[in-house]
Amino acid sequence: MTIQAHIASLEKKHGALEEELQTILSSPSTDDHKIADLKRRKLRIKDQMQRLKATTRH
């Protein structure tokens, strides 16, 4: 898998997590642990994307 393909895959996962997070936040009964977990996963993916993008610039 090329770096660009890997970044695209991570962007897709990040978007899916964002959609899931928005769905959970719009529901009346929210699970704080699930919300925190989704946010952590999104942040990890975002960090991975930034690292990969930085390597392609050098």
Side-chain angles (χ1 to χ4, degrees):
M1 178 183 290
T2 67
I3 291 177
Q4 293 301 329
H6 191 62
I7 290 170
S9 172
L10 290 171
E11 287 173 342
K12 187 175 179 181
K13 288 178 185 178
H14 188 268
L17 287 173
E18 177 62 28
E19 287 179 22
E20 187 177 350
L21 182 60
Q22 291 306 316
T23 300
I24 290 173
L25 289 173
S26 66
S27 102
S29 60
T30 58
D31 180 2
D32 290 339
H33 294 292
K34 177 131 180 136
I35 291 169
D37 179 56
L38 286 171
K39 287 182 177 183
R40 271 193 300 276
R41 289 169 53 197
K42 274 183 57 186
L43 184 58
R44 253 186 257 126
I45 289 172
K46 184 177 178 181
D47 288 344
Q48 286 178 316
M49 287 188 299
Q50 288 175 338
R51 278 194 304 272
L52 288 172
K53 287 177 182 178
T55 61
T56 61
R57 288 186 210 129
H58 291 102

